[in-house]
Amino acid sequence: MNYNDYFIDALKSLKKEGRYRVFNDIKRNIGKFPKATHYSKEDTSEVAVWCSNDYLGMGQNSEVINAMHEAIDSSGAGSGGTRNISGTTHYHVLLEKELADLHNKESALLFTSGYISNEASLSTLASILPDCVIFSDELNHASMIQGMRNSRAERFIFKHNDPDHLASLLQEIDFDRPKLVAFESVYSMDGDIAPIKEICEVAKKYNAMTYLDEVHAVGMYGNRGGGIAERQGLMDELDVIEGTLAKAYGTMGGYIAANKEIIDVVRSFASSFIFTTSLPPAIAAGALASVRHLKKSNIEREKHQERAEMLKNKLRQTGIVVMPSESHIVPVLVGDPVLCKKASDILLKEYSIYVQPINYPTVPKGKERLRFTPSPLHNDEMMDHLVNSLKIVWKKLGISSIS
């Protein structure tokens, strides 16, 4: 038997459907964000990055970079081990305290990524609670879904951002049976925002814990960057708030914030936390500087919102279909995986615009799109170039401009 034939066939199927992912080789250049160097087989060229999750450009912030340099100079490269075995440096301790304070919680716990923080926390909490039932928004991230699956807890899916449907499911479960409601604040592909207040009210009514993923909102919303829950004054209504350091904060890692018992349970029982080498000290130091900076500075958030709204308006004036978005995410509908990839390729090769195609399973089939993430550093000239280039490419490929 030639096992490799199975792998080849699987890849052929992806390519036929237009869902094969190609990694673009780029190098971010300090001081030039969102410009980057693109490396192709033929040559190198400068491109404008329009799909970065470094939403505020904090990966280029001098305070963050200086903090990382200082940590490397004083502590070296790696952390040296897991959190239990020599990998809890003073930078980790300080960062966890800062994150707990950010969300007005007793404690916080760092992970190597937002994916791991969701997977580890949800799988642990739902497995520790006896006979737990999970209620999950139908558009929750893959990391949340994986955590719920790994818990082996019974699970019900409620309609996206629909507190009434959630209530109808919860009322069928015994009041005293442990329950966990898991949802996100900003949904990254559509840019819509959850009705946090209403979901928390329903959860409380039916005696359920709440778990909110704020990865696309922390640093971005709220007076100190605590996310949508902070902006709406709802952080105290949530049992667990999960976030990332890899988006608005411009570094790497994930975390949860909650009361000290919840944090201690995840710390003590989560396999993917216990057996993973901790973040390097320099990463923790950079994240710490970034969180502290965005707690006191609103300039980046205000400029970012202005840029996102301007891009939406400019695109709508052309007739290009901008999908409804309440947040900083600017999703532009294509509706076909092959055309989506072609549009991305043409924009990169002919117009020096880098934006990745978003296809199934990240989004439903028929909802393929280009997802733009304007930052405070995308100027008017870049924006006009993007809009004019999209108009040409849309016409060339025959992509519909009517929703």
Side-chain angles (χ1 to χ4, degrees):
M1 179 183 291
N2 189 340
Y3 287 99
N4 216 42
D5 286 344
Y6 290 101
F7 306 134
I8 291 170
D9 289 342
L11 291 170
K12 282 181 180 178
S13 178
L14 270 184
K15 291 175 181 178
K16 185 177 180 181
E17 293 177 35
R19 296 195 292 116
Y20 182 73
R21 297 169 191 249
V22 176
F23 295 162
N24 281 304
D25 182 355
I26 66 168
K27 180 169 75 71
R28 286 156 51 105
N29 299 309
I30 192 166
K32 291 187 176 182
F33 184 81
K35 294 295 182 68
T37 302
H38 175 245
Y39 293 82
S40 67
K41 292 179 181 179
E42 296 81 24
D43 56 14
T44 62
S45 60
E46 186 177 70
V47 299
V49 180
W50 278 96
C51 55
S52 175
N53 283 339
D54 185 1
Y55 292 135
L56 301 179
M58 290 300 291
Q60 304 275 307
N61 181 277
S62 60
E63 292 178 33
V64 175
I65 293 169
N66 289 339
M68 296 181 75
H69 277 300
E70 290 172 9
I72 285 180
D73 291 341
S74 66
S75 298
S79 67
T82 65
R83 289 294 299 275
N84 187 52
I85 305 176
S86 83
T88 297
T89 73
H90 191 51
Y91 296 108
H92 295 81
V93 174
L94 291 176
L95 179 53
E96 286 175 338
K97 289 180 179 178
E98 203 73 39
L99 292 167
D101 172 76
L102 175 66
H103 295 291
N104 197 31
K105 299 295 184 187
E106 289 181 334
S107 193
L109 189 65
L110 277 172
F111 298 83
T112 51
S113 73
Y115 189 104
I116 295 298
S117 59
N118 270 332
E119 186 279 324
S121 302
L122 285 166
S123 63
T124 301
L125 294 172
S127 62
I128 291 291
L129 293 168
D131 198 26
C132 181
V133 188
I134 301 175
F135 297 84
S136 172
D137 186 287
E138 66 178 335
L139 294 188
N140 275 341
H141 190 264
S143 59
M144 301 175 77
I145 295 168
Q146 192 61 50
M148 297 174 211
R149 285 174 176 165
N150 290 348
S151 75
R152 298 185 180 180
E154 186 176 7
R155 179 163 52 109
F156 293 92
I157 311 299
F158 63 92
K159 295 176 183 176
H160 180 52
N161 284 347
D162 190 337
D164 292 334
H165 188 228
L166 172 62
S168 71
L169 294 172
L170 279 164
Q171 68 185 3
E172 297 299 319
I173 305 299
D174 185 276
F175 184 81
D176 293 322
R177 185 177 174 186
K179 295 174 284 292
L180 177 63
V181 176
F183 62 110
E184 302 180 37
S185 59
V186 175
Y187 287 83
S188 63
M189 290 301 121
D190 292 339
D192 55 335
I193 294 174
I196 300 174
K197 182 175 183 291
E198 292 79 3
I199 289 176
C200 286
E201 287 173 348
V202 168
K204 187 174 183 179
K205 179 180 179 181
Y206 293 100
N207 196 30
M209 284 182 62
T210 47
Y211 181 106
L212 178 66
D213 177 315
E214 287 254 45
V215 296
H216 291 277
V218 290
M220 311 283 295
Y221 299 92
N223 191 50
R224 299 197 309 158
I228 299 295
E230 185 198 11
R231 187 179 75 174
Q232 297 179 358
L234 297 169
M235 290 192 295
D236 292 345
E237 301 300 315
L238 293 148
D239 293 296
V240 183
I241 296 175
E242 185 265 351
T244 186
L245 302 166
K247 294 180 171 60
Y249 293 117
T251 55
M252 178 184 175
Y255 66 89
I256 57 169
N259 68 35
K260 61 181 184 296
E261 290 80 16
I262 289 174
I263 296 299
D264 204 11
V265 160
V266 176
R267 182 189 72 86
S268 300
F269 288 92
S271 179
S272 50
F273 170 80
I274 293 170
F275 297 104
T276 297
T277 299
S278 65
L279 289 169
I283 297 292
L288 177 62
S290 189
V291 172
R292 285 176 172 171
H293 175 87
L294 289 174
K295 275 185 175 179
K296 65 180 186 289
S297 175
N298 274 306
I299 295 171
E300 293 85 358
R301 284 188 281 275
E302 291 169 358
K303 181 65 174 177
H304 184 258
Q305 289 297 318
E306 181 272 329
R307 293 283 83 187
E309 193 59 33
M310 177 172 283
L311 180 58
K312 289 176 188 176
N313 289 335
K314 283 180 176 289
L315 287 169
R316 285 170 182 146
Q317 289 169 11
T318 69
I320 289 174
V321 181
V322 179
M323 302 172 74
S325 169
E326 306 168 69
S327 66
H328 56 282
I329 307 296
V330 185
V332 174
L333 182 66
V334 177
D336 179 274
V338 175
L339 287 179
C340 201
K341 180 67 168 64
K342 284 182 178 179
S344 172
D345 289 344
I346 294 171
L347 287 167
L348 182 63
K349 293 174 183 176
E350 298 183 19
Y351 299 96
S352 299
I353 292 168
Y354 173 38
V355 58
Q356 279 292 115
I358 307 294
N359 293 332
Y360 178 85
T362 307
V363 296
K365 291 181 179 179
K367 296 292 183 180
E368 293 83 5
R369 68 198 65 178
L370 298 181
R371 174 183 175 271
F372 296 95
T373 54
S375 76
L377 300 174
H378 284 88
N379 59 34
D380 288 351
E381 183 181 355
M382 293 177 190
M383 208 168 283
D384 288 338
H385 175 62
L386 170 65
V387 173
N388 291 331
S389 301
L390 281 173
K391 287 163 62 178
I392 296 169
V393 173
W394 254 231
K395 184 176 181 180
K396 181 176 183 178
L397 295 177
I399 299 172
S400 174
S401 294
I402 301 173
S403 59

